[in-house]
């Protein structure tokens, strides 16, 4: 297919934007890209798809999200993290069935595809949710997924007994670490290579030092990447400082072998200068989730300092209970604004940097930058088209500004992954959208009832 007459934001090494550009896709890859008049004359025999009035850019890459949690959208609003976790999220997730996990994965993926995310990193899918169901959802939908299977052996958060997990979520080494190895053997590389299986380690305090060391050794031996929440809230920092010997977040991670280019650490709000230096020196990646950090009052990550030090920073939405959407385009806007607000410096984290975080930086974090993250000949045909012929998007002068500050997921007209059209004219092609959201509604309410929280998650104003 020859996609023609679009404004093509390539994010290539020169960061070229092609006005009236075209992309030739053959099989799963881009085989030509350039001006429409040139490609139309070279490839007259190809089927053509007119994208006049659209901006085309690389498919967005979410480096942190929780597919299971989309069933819990709006079920834990306006709570600080301890109450959010212990009284709502862990209780709800501890009552999941494998059928709930599959319904959650499908509605998460449907939303991501419709809003322009073509590849995502699932943070830590629990055994009780049914990891194979998640893999089936990725396979059926056509999305690209790096899927973290949870690794844990301690049912607490940050070592505090008061922050105890729901018993339905607690896993041991056999179920978590060895289960992840089994899932890696069964699923890694499946779905035409679109599935990658990762270790999804719990936060320090939820994993023993011995299990961390075993996991990081296996990671190197078997080439299995790792993702992990870290330094999200002040309690994390206090946990590290209380260890014997005392640690900073990154000195502890380094001591158990977590730092390196195969690791994506998430949130990373409470860091000192030595932590940032360690991240840069080891090539460890960071996933920035500004909406989650703001909504849970965790703080604001030092992204300008991380970028200045040379740390690769990607972008993620986190889960729906602490964001309420899986729309990475909306996340881009906040990522471009929040650092200006707290620094009083409007030049920090400009729109171009934000788009890099959501595309090529995300690809680097996932070890996929040779395949995705930019629109270049030889790379996978993962891209989205945004219809700019709308009153809320006109006029615009910079395509990058429009994508970061004006566009939302609802403006995505087309999503292509591996050369296949998965969303066309804003409609899902590979999934029955109505069936997906109806199943999500059914399973979400069933989980809430099963957990005994129906009265707590309803509207606070009178329902009459």
């Amino acid at each position: 297919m020859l996609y023609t007459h679009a404004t093509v934001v390539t994010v290539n090494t020169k960061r070229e934007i092609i006005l009236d550009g075209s992309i030739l896709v053959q099989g799963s890859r881009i085989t030509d890209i350039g001006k429409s008049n040139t490609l139309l004359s070279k490839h007259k025999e190809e089927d053509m798809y007119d994208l006049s009035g659209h901006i085309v850019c690389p498919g967005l890459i979410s480096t942190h999200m929780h597919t299971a949690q989309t069933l819990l959208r709006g079920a834990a609003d306006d709570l600080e993290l301890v109450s959010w976790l212990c009284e709502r999220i862990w209780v709800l997730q501890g009552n999941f069935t494998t059928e709930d996990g599959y319904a959650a994965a499908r509605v998460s993926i449907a939303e991501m595809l419709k809003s322009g995310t073509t590849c995502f990193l699932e943070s830590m899918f629990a055994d009780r949710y049914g990891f194979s169901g998640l893999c089936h959802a990725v396979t059926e939908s056509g999305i690209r997924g790096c899927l973290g299977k949870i690794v844990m052996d301690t049912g607490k958060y940050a070592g505090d007994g008061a922050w105890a997990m729901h018993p339905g979520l607690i896993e041991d080494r056999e179920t978590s670490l060895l289960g992840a190895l089994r899932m890696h053997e069964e699923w890694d590389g499946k779905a035409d290579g679109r599935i990658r299986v990762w270790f999804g380690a719990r936060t320090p305090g939820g994993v023993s030092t011995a299990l961390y060391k075993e996991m990081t050794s296996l990671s190197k031996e078997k080439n299995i990447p790792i993702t992990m929440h870290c330094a999200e809230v002040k309690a994390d920092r206090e946990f590290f400082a209380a260890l014997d010997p005392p640690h900073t977040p990154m000195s502890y991670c380094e001591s158990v072998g977590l730092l390196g280019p195969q690791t994506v650490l998430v949130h990373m709000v409470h860091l000192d200068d030595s932590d940032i230096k360690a991240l840069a020196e080891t090539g460890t990646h960071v996933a920035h989730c500004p909406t989650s950090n703001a909504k849970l009052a965790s703080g604001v990550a030092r992204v300008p300092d991380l970028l200045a030090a040379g740390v690769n920073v990607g972008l993620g939405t986190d889960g729906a209970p602490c964001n309420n959407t899986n729309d990475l385009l909306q996340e881009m806007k906040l990522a471009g604004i929040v650092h200006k607000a707290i620094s009083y410096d409007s030049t920090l984290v400009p729109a171009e940097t934000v788009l890099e975080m959501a595309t090529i930086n995300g690809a680097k974090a996932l070890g996929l930058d040779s395949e995705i993250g930019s629109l270049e000949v030889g790379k996978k045909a993962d891209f989205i088209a945004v219809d700019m012929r709308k009153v809320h998007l006109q006029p615009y002068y910079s395509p990058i500004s429009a994508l970061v500050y004006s566009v939302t997921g609802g403006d995505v007209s087309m999503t292509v992954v591996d050369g296949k059209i998965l969303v066309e004219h804003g409609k899902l092609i590979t999934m029955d959208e109505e069936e997906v959201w109806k199943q999500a509604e059914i399973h979400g309410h069933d989980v809430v009832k099963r957990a005994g929280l129906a009265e707590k998650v309803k509207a606070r104003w009178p329902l009459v």
Side-chain angles (χ1 to χ4, degrees), residues 233-246:
V233 293
K234 290 180 180 178
D236 292 319
R237 185 64 186 253
E238 292 162 0
F239 166 76
F240 292 119
L243 294 173
D244 185 17

Side-chain angles (χ1 to χ4, degrees), residues 5 12 24 26 55 83 94 100 134 202 207 212 224 229 242 269 320 341 350 436 453:
H5 300 303
N12 64 13
L24 179 63
Q26 294 178 318
I55 294 175
S83 299
D100 299 326
L134 171 61
R202 278 202 64 221
V207 183
Y212 270 134
I224 303 176
H229 298 65
V269 176
V436 167
L453 292 178

Side-chain angles (χ1 to χ4, degrees), residues 102-121:
Y102 180 60
R106 294 183 76 211
V107 74
S108 298
I109 290 167
E111 183 184 358
M112 285 190 286
L113 287 173
K114 282 174 62 70
S115 56
T117 293
T118 56
C119 181
F120 70 99
L121 175 55

Side-chain angles (χ1 to χ4, degrees), residues 29-203:
R29 296 191 180 272
I30 297 169
T31 56
D32 205 354
I33 187 168
K35 288 285 192 179
S36 289
N37 57 0
T38 302
L39 268 66
L40 284 166
S41 65
K42 287 169 62 179
H43 307 292
K44 295 176 182 178
E45 74 287 353
E46 297 290 346
D47 291 332
M48 296 180 191
Y49 200 114
D50 189 351
L51 287 175
S52 297
H54 288 71
I55 294 175
V56 168
C57 75
L60 305 181
I61 299 167
S62 179
T63 53
H64 182 65
M65 73 93 59
H66 296 261
T67 47
Q69 288 186 0
T70 303
L71 285 195
L72 313 180
R73 190 195 316 267
D77 292 335
D78 308 322
L79 296 170
E80 46 75 36
L81 185 66
V82 181
S83 299
W84 185 85
L85 277 174
C86 298
E87 297 173 15
R88 296 286 176 87
I89 300 306
W90 282 344
V91 178
L92 290 163
Q93 291 180 155
N95 279 277
F96 263 54
T97 65
T98 56
E99 292 81 9
D100 299 326
Y102 180 60
R106 294 183 76 211
V107 74
S108 298
I109 290 167
E111 183 184 358
M112 285 190 286
L113 287 173
K114 282 174 62 70
S115 56
T117 293
T118 56
C119 181
F120 70 99
L121 175 55
E122 157 63 46
S123 179
M124 47 183 188
F125 209 75
D127 187 73
R128 71 173 302 123
Y129 310 155
F131 192 85
S132 290
L134 171 61
C135 295
H136 283 301
V138 171
T139 302
E140 297 156 358
S141 67
I143 202 168
R144 198 178 300 281
C146 296
L147 311 178
K149 167 71 176 68
I150 196 166
V151 175
M152 66 167 294
D153 60 354
T154 304
K156 294 184 284 187
Y157 184 102
D160 189 337
W163 291 33
M165 292 186 80
H166 186 278
L169 281 180
I170 296 173
E171 298 183 27
D172 57 16
R173 172 182 174 274
E174 168 69 29
T175 305
S176 65
L177 179 67
L178 302 188
L181 291 176
R182 290 191 292 271
M183 290 299 98
H184 184 269
E185 184 175 341
E186 181 176 349
W187 285 103
D188 191 65
K190 295 295 177 64
D192 297 321
R194 289 183 288 105
I195 292 176
R196 292 283 183 253
V197 177
W198 286 43
F199 289 133
R202 278 202 64 221
T203 312

